[in-house]
Amino acid sequence: MEKIQTKRLAILGSTGSIGSQALDVVRQHADIFSIEVLTAFNNSKLLIEQAIEFNPNVVVIGSPALHDKVAAELEPYNIKVYSGEKSLLQVLEMETIDMVLVALVGFAGLKPTLKAIESGKPLAIANKETFVVAGELVTRLAREKAVNIYPVDSEHSAIFQCLAGEFHNPVEKIYLTASGGPFRGANRDFLSRVTKEDALRHPNWSMGCKVSIDSATLMNKGLEVIEARWLFGLKPQQIEVVVHPQSIIHSLVQFEDGSIKAQLGLPDMRLPIQYALSYPNRLKSSMPRFDFLNYPEFTFEKPDRETFRCLDFAYTALEKGGNMPCIINAANEVAVGAFLKDKIKFLAIADVIESCMNKASFIHHPVLDDYINSDLQVREIARSLIGQRFTPAQN
Ligand code: NAD
Ligand code: MG
């Protein structure tokens, strides 16, 4: 095999679930990948440990209050330390970065993604919220700047892998698989009593808190439908969700001749992360291999969109277009945050989102500032709703 080019990476959100697993991939392939930039929001302890191990040129800590602590610890290693959102954006201009992995969670991923595209850096994106909020803007800018975007989300990586060698063949439809989350099969009565601890206990994947709750409400799959629409340029009717509790088939593509291609593997995010970083090459990995005999049965179910209303909201938002996906994203971020702080109950997450969809200002053709303002407006609405109506005592 031809020698693979080395790549200097910027990992945004290196202390998170995806960021840490990406560093594991880098650890396994130190001959190919090196770390140029690491960033975190406020986990300074882990950021310092990672910096000492991977020796980046620069680290950025989101919270300015932690700057001096991180700088003091990293001084002996000659690693530059910056803080705050502005520095995070500036750092993305560095010519020594060959690829940016966006592993931030939530709306916070949008500006760094746009800045990386403007700086002409190829991107591996785990941050689905960026596509939900401003998928049209992000993909248009990437086309204009001829910047490639490689999906990290396992379903989208699966679709991308199925499309390899098929770029001239139209896609009839795609199937995004869903595990169904920890509450698959539950009814509203059961869901009215579930706790944060129950919701965080995902059957197949270990992930950050926000995406774990999104998986429990099925909002995660809704956000992924919108992400797929933009990544692969599909119409909403071409994107179907099928529940596959074993989480072995990561997604499927159906072509115009009726043939279906699927990508399979044990649920381990290091695989899609590695593929995004090494595309078009496949690198060796020592991850455990799938054994058919351990899985004598693959099963499939229709998602329950009546009970898990968030998936329905995502389809509605996608059909409506404009800033509606941005509205559901902001409402969801606030509602999930409140649920994680025990301020609202599980079923109230969907209620908060629905109210925000009705109350927030709708914009048909938003530009970047509209997304930023809409995000702020919806957060305000959602917070006041949570304060007034959705207190635990009233639920
Ligand atoms: P996480 O909460 O574990 O990590 C988030 C990272 O972003 C941390 O490093 C944190 O310090 C940083 N961060 C958070 N808020 C920030 C802010 N305002 N500014 C700067 N940095 C900030 O999240 P995760 O589970 O790794 O998920 C990251 C993204 O990947 C999400 O969009 C998620 O939906 C997506 N994703 C995750 C998984 C998974 O297995 N964890 C799978 C598929 C997709
Ligand atoms: Mg996913």
Side-chain angles (χ1 to χ4, degrees):
M1 192 164 86
E2 212 179 296
K3 191 165 167 11
I4 298 173
Q5 259 199 328
T6 55
K7 262 184 208 167
R8 294 162 297 183
L9 306 175
I11 301 190
L12 313 186
S14 63
T15 54
S17 160
I18 293 289
S20 311
Q21 294 181 82
L23 286 175
D24 202 30
V25 169
V26 171
R27 207 177 271 125
Q28 308 294 322
H29 297 284
D31 51 332
I32 297 170
F33 302 118
S34 63
I35 297 293
E36 194 60 14
V37 176
L38 294 177
T39 85
F41 190 50
N42 54 16
N43 189 346
S44 55
K45 185 170 176 286
L46 183 55
L47 183 66
I48 291 164
E49 279 170 30
Q50 292 177 336
I52 293 172
E53 180 181 353
F54 291 94
N55 193 32
N57 191 350
V58 170
V59 305
V60 183
I61 179 87
S63 164
L66 293 166
H67 172 273
D68 292 354
K69 178 182 175 222
V70 178
E73 295 265 1
L74 295 181
E75 222 232 84
Y77 301 92
N78 201 15
I79 296 169
K80 297 181 203 73
V81 177
Y82 302 111
S83 65
E85 196 192 32
K86 252 198 185 144
S87 307
L88 174 65
L89 298 179
Q90 264 170 12
V91 156
L92 293 170
E93 290 172 12
M94 281 165 55
E95 279 180 11
T96 45
I97 298 172
D98 297 318
M99 186 175 221
V100 177
L101 168 64
V102 188
L104 304 172
V105 60
F107 185 89
L110 176 60
K111 283 192 202 166
T113 298
L114 292 171
K115 183 62 192 273
I117 297 173
E118 270 160 13
S119 309
K121 310 283 193 247
L123 281 157
I125 304 192
N127 178 257
K128 64 194 84 187
E129 294 90 346
T130 284
F131 291 107
V132 174
V133 171
E136 199 263 335
L137 181 72
V138 168
T139 48
R140 180 161 33 89
L141 189 66
R143 265 196 310 277
E144 275 168 26
K145 300 277 175 192
V147 164
N148 286 332
I149 295 179
Y150 302 102
V152 170
D153 213 346
S154 59
E155 297 77 3
H156 306 73
S157 174
I159 303 288
F160 184 59
Q161 294 182 55
C162 293
L163 288 175
E166 303 278 5
F167 290 108
H168 300 290
N169 291 325
V171 168
E172 193 165 79
K173 71 192 286 187
I174 64 170
Y175 292 92
L176 296 180
T177 52
S179 67
F183 305 138
R184 181 172 63 89
N187 60 21
R188 283 184 67 80
D189 180 46
F190 179 90
L191 293 177
S192 69
R193 291 189 304 271
V194 298
T195 65
K196 174 174 79 183
E197 289 71 28
D198 299 330
L200 286 171
R201 221 172 286 128
H202 195 278
N204 303 337
W205 300 93
S206 154
M207 309 178 285
C209 289
K210 195 247 173 193
V211 61
S212 297
I213 302 303
D214 287 348
S215 299
T217 60
L218 290 203
M219 179 52 101
N220 184 49
K221 213 46 58 180
L223 302 179
E224 290 182 356
V225 168
I226 303 176
E227 180 184 16
R229 185 258 174 273
W230 294 112
L231 270 172
F232 305 111
L234 300 168
K235 297 192 183 78
Q237 313 81 271
Q238 289 177 291
I239 308 169
E240 195 164 319
V241 172
V242 61
V243 176
H244 164 54
Q246 296 79 21
S247 293
I248 297 297
I249 303 178
H250 297 307
S251 279
L252 313 93
V253 178
Q254 180 172 310
F255 295 93
E256 287 191 325
D257 59 357
S259 180
I260 295 178
K261 278 168 90 173
Q263 187 261 337
L264 285 72
L266 290 174
D268 187 328
M269 282 309 294
R270 288 171 302 176
L271 204 151
I273 293 169
Q274 176 170 301
Y275 189 69
L277 298 180
S278 68
Y279 177 86
N281 301 296
R282 287 189 184 273
L283 306 180
K284 282 198 171 144
S285 97
S286 55
M287 293 166 222
R289 300 309 197 237
F290 172 70
D291 180 347
F292 278 92
L293 302 182
N294 288 338
Y295 290 83
E297 218 176 38
F298 279 180
T299 56
F300 305 96
E301 297 162 17
K302 205 175 150 154
D304 177 358
R305 283 165 59 167
E306 264 172 48
T307 308
F308 295 89
R309 301 163 70 217
C310 291
L311 177 56
D312 229 38
F313 296 157
Y315 270 106
T316 306
L318 186 54
E319 290 285 353
K320 179 113 189 177
N323 64 334
M324 195 50 92
C326 174
I327 292 170
I328 64 161
N329 179 69
N332 183 55
E333 285 192 34
V334 174
V336 170
F339 175 69
L340 284 168
K341 288 193 188 125
D342 294 316
K343 286 190 184 155
I344 58 171
K345 292 203 162 189
F346 185 76
L347 286 175
I349 296 174
D351 298 338
V352 170
I353 299 167
E354 189 177 40
S355 293
C356 288
M357 290 171 84
N358 293 328
K359 283 179 196 273
S361 326
F362 180 69
I363 305 167
H364 266 288
H365 300 290
V367 295
L368 179 58
D369 278 346
D370 295 323
Y371 292 125
I372 293 170
N373 293 331
S374 185
D375 178 75
L376 289 172
Q377 186 207 25
V378 175
R379 281 169 198 270
E380 199 54 46
I381 298 172
R383 278 193 209 105
S384 91
L385 282 170
I386 288 164
Q388 292 162 21
R389 283 177 41 206
F390 295 110
T391 53
Q394 288 162 341
N395 266 275

